Amino acid sequence: MAERSFAREVEQLRIGAGQEFRGEGILAITKALLECGVGYVGGYQGAPISHLMDVLADAQEILSELGVRFEANASEAAATAMLAASVHYPIRGAVAYKGPVGVNVASDALANLASGGVTGGAMMIVGEDYGEGSAIMQERTHAFAMKSQVWLLDPRPNLRSMTKAVRDGFELSEATETPVILELRIRACHVHGAFEARDNQRPPLSVKDALSAPRRSTERLAMPPFAFRHEQEKVSKRWPRAVEFIMENGLNEFMGPKAGKVGLVLQGGMYNTVTRSLRRLGLADLHGNSQIPLYVLNVTYPLAEAEFLSFCEGKDAVLVVEEGQPNYIEQAFGSMVHRKGLPTRVQGKGYLPMAGEYQPGVMLEALSGFLADHGVTPADPRQRAPNDTQTPPVPDLSATVPLRTPGFCVGCPERPIFAAMKLVDQKIGPHQIACDIGCHLFSILPPFDLGGTTMGFGLGPASNGAFDGGGERRPISIIGDGGFWHNGLASSIGNAVLNQSDGVIVVVDNYYTAATGGQDILSSRAEHPTRNTNNSIAGAVKGVGVKWVREIDRTYDVTKVRDTLTEALTTPETGPKVIIASSECMLNRQRREKPLRHAAIGDGKRVVVPKFGVDEDVCTGDHACMRLSGCPSLTMKTLDDPLRDDPVASIDDGCVGCGNCGEVADAAVLCPSFFQVDVVHNPGRFERWYARVSGRMIEALQRRRARKRLTFEKAEMA
């Protein structure tokens, strides 16, 4: 079950030549793949590219009609390995993965794929999740393109440019026998627009057809003596051929006037931000027509030296707008100018920050400084955008606005696991805890403050390897079901078995790769028409040699989780101890149940919805429930009672009735102030009568208590 369904939108993928396609960037990329006659597609989900996998999954009927193979790969490495189909066969293939983390995982397969090269077009679509809002460490895909000698496309973020880049990418790949990477920033993935569609194309050679006539060429294998030849071929043939193709087909763009004192060289993905800033400076109009010469790099690797040097002619300086570090493009262009002995100055970092996302305010300041230093003013001051002359500086709110750290969703079944772990730490003492990539990583932050490392998807238990040799307390590691199937079974669990590790491994099973959008995996509980689900995690870990395995089928039972953890940490049995803690992701559960519940209520059926509350008269205001839960629906409420100064706990309308707050209170022996209320929709006749009678009785008792309180207050005043 994915984060959302694209079943309605994918019907647009059927439109043909001359029709206008309107929609989101990811959907447009999918349409372009079909127009290019792709033979197979796959990948691993991860923001901002998750939706591409969801769209492909929802479009399987259309893919089947065209003879296109779709595979939801176990990892980015598996996805890249699938591109091996394009090595010997003239079949176009495309795979998707999340930014540099996906490229990191795929790097071994990518190096082998790039070494021997490809016969059919091979494309990797990478969501370059860069910037302050990213959920990953900050790196660039550019380094991998340079290392493995694959070509990197970075198109302008509009649907026409992006779909053209798909076509250009396949043609470039085939012309140079080299894989290509199509880099899409998060804003490009979700940009909306339109372009003129073309007819979808069946692959000239399908993967099914290829099986009837197998091909092989040992010269394309990355092994001696061919690997050395591949390196020479990259430099002497593929690279020059790629530069020639880029220039002959105009993949990069020259915009604005041809001549000028200065010019801007920019990655294609930076185009919108640059032209918007130029408009604010009065140097471009609303449509992006610039008064400053622009050299837009829709292909950022390899660089076309002749194009760049031609652009530099007659210019005092050029500013290279290159987001991120190191400044590969700026260094390369500076070297070109130096070798040619041109007087043009190549500038970039200095005016622009060395690292960080180039947001509009950053870009405006950088362009203002560069242009002012070189005496450039608008040709027509009247073109300056309204009020832009007095644009106030963006205030620094970091000292005023508190840091907003990510946390678990309301009702998340992972929260009680870490509440139980917190209770174990209080009883036994603190433990060395390593986390994996996934929602459970939020346990590192308040209110739990557990865990200290995260080294990669599926590597949580492996990152505790150095501590698994014995000590005063056993180490604990956390891994999610997504990371477990990604590569954790071998790299973490198998590694622990091989090395006779004595630590505790908690596998958090929430039925989906929840953090990436709720896609199904091997152990998902739902029946999937095109996937094999319901595979046992416990069976898998036992299969690789784990002897001590415990399964918890309801993580909200904090007492059971606490006791199972305690047993794992204190048992005399040696070897890795695995606890599989299972409960369905509440976000996905609500996505599935809410429409059914609303439909049932609309049909007049009786529906009971549990809600939880706090008895204000019983709550002491200790707030330990929040310190051991952190649920967003738990908040504080100030009472009108003058004798109660401290605020009490309160549960807001966001509560989904998971019961975690009450379970935590019971396990920690905190207080009995939590209670459950069942909200009944479409109640029966007896339930309505009972509600009226009990309501009247409660009102009478409340009036009686109010009269007693008033009498008491009058007596006190007298």
Side-chain angles (χ1 to χ4, degrees):
M1 178 181 180
E3 182 177 347
R4 57 160 293 196
S5 171
F6 289 86
R8 183 175 59 186
E9 289 94 329
V10 297
E11 288 303 312
Q12 270 206 93
L13 299 177
R14 297 184 184 275
I15 67 175
Q19 294 180 275
E20 185 179 61
F21 180 99
R22 285 189 171 274
E24 193 178 31
I26 287 297
L27 201 66
I29 292 293
T30 311
K31 173 61 176 166
L33 292 174
L34 300 182
E35 292 177 356
C36 289
V38 70
Y40 62 97
V41 289
Y44 190 84
Q45 59 272 354
I49 214 74
S50 295
H51 286 172
L52 179 55
M53 296 302 295
D54 298 338
V55 168
L56 291 169
D58 287 336
Q60 285 190 71
E61 181 180 341
I62 300 173
L63 298 178
S64 297
E65 292 171 3
L66 294 169
V68 180
R69 162 72 175 170
F70 167 62
E71 182 160 326
N73 303 108
S75 69
E76 295 86 354
T80 309
M82 187 170 70
L83 290 172
S86 295
V87 171
H88 299 301
Y89 301 92
I91 306 174
R92 288 181 169 180
V95 296
Y97 35 78
K98 174 187 176 74
V101 289
V103 185
N104 287 336
V105 173
S107 60
D108 189 23
L110 177 60
N112 280 275
L113 180 72
S115 184
V118 294
T119 301
M123 177 178 291
M124 290 143 283
I125 303 170
V126 179
E128 192 77 348
D129 191 6
Y130 186 83
E132 193 172 354
S134 171
I136 61 170
M137 75 286 185
Q138 297 295 275
E139 290 188 338
R140 294 176 62 191
T141 301
H142 199 105
F144 288 90
M146 296 172 64
K147 175 188 74 68
S148 295
Q149 288 288 286
V150 299
W151 317 140
L152 181 62
L153 282 68
D154 187 0
R156 291 191 289 133
N158 65 72
L159 266 55
R160 291 186 181 88
S161 296
M162 289 157 56
T163 52
K164 181 179 182 297
V166 174
R167 296 192 296 271
D168 291 341
F170 278 123
E171 292 172 3
L172 175 62
S173 176
E174 290 165 348
T176 61
E177 299 181 343
T178 302
V180 299
I181 296 175
L182 176 62
E183 177 182 84
L184 299 173
R185 289 169 176 78
I186 188 167
R187 290 175 180 81
C189 291
H190 300 304
V191 69
H192 283 253
F195 69 97
E196 185 177 333
R198 302 184 181 189
D199 289 333
N200 294 335
Q201 302 292 325
R202 292 184 64 86
L205 177 69
S206 71
V207 289
K208 289 184 178 180
D209 296 336
L211 289 173
S212 62
R215 302 182 185 183
R216 63 187 296 270
S217 172
T218 55
E219 292 187 359
R220 288 197 177 275
L221 300 181
M223 59 181 291
F226 309 112
F228 178 75
R229 297 181 192 174
H230 296 162
E231 184 185 21
Q232 299 300 314
E233 183 182 322
K234 286 179 179 180
V235 175
S236 63
K237 294 181 180 179
R238 298 185 205 169
W239 192 347
R241 201 181 305 161
V243 173
E244 182 181 354
F245 183 93
I246 291 165
M247 295 176 62
E248 286 182 351
N249 293 276
L251 270 57
N252 296 324
E253 299 173 277
F254 295 94
M255 297 180 173
K258 291 185 178 180
K261 292 178 60 179
V262 297
L264 302 179
V265 181
L266 56 141
Q267 296 163 299
M270 292 283 95
Y271 175 80
N272 289 1
T273 309
V274 168
T275 53
R276 169 58 180 155
S277 297
L278 288 174
R279 179 174 178 261
R280 294 183 68 185
L281 294 169
L283 294 167
D285 62 20
L286 184 62
H287 303 287
N289 298 313
S290 173
Q291 297 176 23
I292 304 295
L294 304 179
Y295 178 35
V296 183
L297 298 172
N298 292 314
V299 182
T300 53
Y301 189 80
L303 299 172
E305 182 170 347
E307 271 189 354
F308 172 70
L309 295 178
S310 174
F311 179 75
C312 289
E313 288 181 4
K315 294 180 176 62
D316 296 336
V318 294
L319 180 71
V320 179
V321 180
E322 177 184 8
E323 190 175 53
Q325 55 83 30
N327 53 343
Y328 301 114
I329 300 173
E330 181 186 344
Q331 291 180 37
F333 281 152
S335 177
M336 293 176 191
V337 167
H338 176 73
R339 285 198 306 268
K340 275 292 183 180
L342 296 182
T344 308
R345 296 181 62 190
V346 177
Q347 299 173 306
K349 305 299 184 184
Y351 285 106
L352 287 155
M354 187 65 183
E357 186 178 8
Y358 289 169
Q359 297 176 346
V362 172
M363 187 68 70
L364 180 64
E365 183 179 353
L367 294 185
S368 299
F370 172 75
L371 295 172
D373 286 351
H374 293 87
V376 177
T377 57
D380 182 357
R382 292 173 297 178
Q383 291 185 5
R384 187 180 294 274
N387 302 322
D388 278 350
T389 55
Q390 301 298 325
T391 302
V394 178
D396 182 8
L397 301 178
S398 58
T400 306
V401 180
L403 182 67
R404 181 180 179 270
T405 56
F408 296 107
C409 301
V410 174
C412 176
E414 300 188 18
R415 181 177 287 107
I417 297 173
F418 300 107
M421 201 171 291
K422 194 83 171 176
L423 293 172
V424 170
D425 268 13
Q426 291 175 1
K427 182 179 180 180
I428 302 177
H431 292 78
Q432 160 62 31
I433 301 175
C435 293
D436 202 85
I437 301 296
C439 298
H440 51 274
L441 199 58
F442 300 147
S443 65
I444 291 178
L445 304 171
F448 303 109
D449 296 306
L450 297 166
T453 56
T454 173
M455 299 306 294
F457 206 24
L459 299 176
S463 62
N464 248 358
F467 300 103
D468 276 336
E472 183 180 348
R473 301 187 188 99
R474 286 172 173 146
I476 303 172
S477 55
I478 320 293
I479 186 171
D481 47 357
F484 176 86
W485 293 116
H486 186 272
N487 73 334
L489 179 59
S491 299
S492 283
I493 308 297
N495 180 70
V497 173
L498 176 65
N499 291 286
Q500 301 181 40
S501 300
D502 195 37
V504 176
I505 300 170
V506 179
V507 181
V508 180
D509 172 26
N510 55 27
Y511 303 7
Y512 313 92
T513 51
T516 65
Q519 292 82 8
D520 287 320
I521 51 177
L522 277 164
S523 53
S524 294
R525 302 301 195 273
E527 295 293 338
H528 200 292
T530 61
R531 298 286 177 269
N532 186 337
T533 53
N534 283 284
N535 293 283
S536 170
I537 293 177
V541 299
K542 290 175 182 177
V544 297
V546 179
K547 308 299 183 191
W548 196 101
V549 181
R550 299 290 184 271
E551 296 182 75
I552 300 171
D553 59 6
R554 182 176 173 273
T555 61
Y556 298 103
D557 189 342
V558 178
T559 302
K560 184 175 182 180
V561 178
R562 179 199 62 192
D563 294 345
T564 306
L565 277 167
T566 302
E567 180 190 358
L569 291 165
T570 57
T571 179
E573 188 168 338
T574 58
K577 284 151 280 292
V578 175
I579 300 171
I580 303 163
S582 305
S583 276
E584 183 179 11
C585 166
M586 184 57 73
L587 206 57
N588 268 25
R589 179 179 171 184
Q590 292 298 314
R591 289 185 188 123
R592 187 184 74 255
E593 292 184 350
K594 274 187 176 180
L596 299 176
R597 184 164 62 241
H598 292 161
I601 293 172
D603 292 340
K605 297 178 181 178
R606 181 180 181 274
V607 177
V608 180
V609 181
K611 292 283 185 180
F612 282 78
V614 175
D615 189 327
E616 298 171 359
D617 292 331
V618 178
C619 178
T620 63
D622 176 63
H623 309 143
C625 52
M626 299 180 192
R627 294 195 294 272
L628 282 170
S629 168
C631 180
S633 67
L634 265 178
T635 183
M636 291 186 290
K637 178 180 179 180
T638 302
L639 301 177
D640 294 332
D641 189 342
L643 301 178
R644 301 284 299 276
D645 295 333
D646 294 333
V648 298
S650 178
I651 300 177
D652 64 23
D653 292 336
C655 174
V656 295
C658 71
N660 176 58
C661 48
E663 296 273 6
V664 169
D666 178 65
V669 196
L670 296 174
C671 70
S673 61
F674 290 95
F675 62 85
Q676 178 177 331
V677 175
D678 289 335
V679 180
V680 181
H681 297 269
N682 301 317
R685 184 179 301 173
F686 173 77
E687 287 176 313
R688 289 195 295 269
W689 173 83
Y690 183 81
R692 286 196 299 270
V693 172
S694 61
R696 289 168 184 167
M697 291 181 64
I698 291 171
E699 288 177 7
L701 292 172
Q702 287 175 334
R703 286 196 296 269
R704 178 184 174 187
R705 185 175 66 176
R707 286 195 298 269
K708 284 186 175 182
R709 178 176 292 179
L710 182 61
T711 302
F712 175 77
E713 290 176 353
K714 287 182 178 179
E716 286 289 313
M717 292 175 65

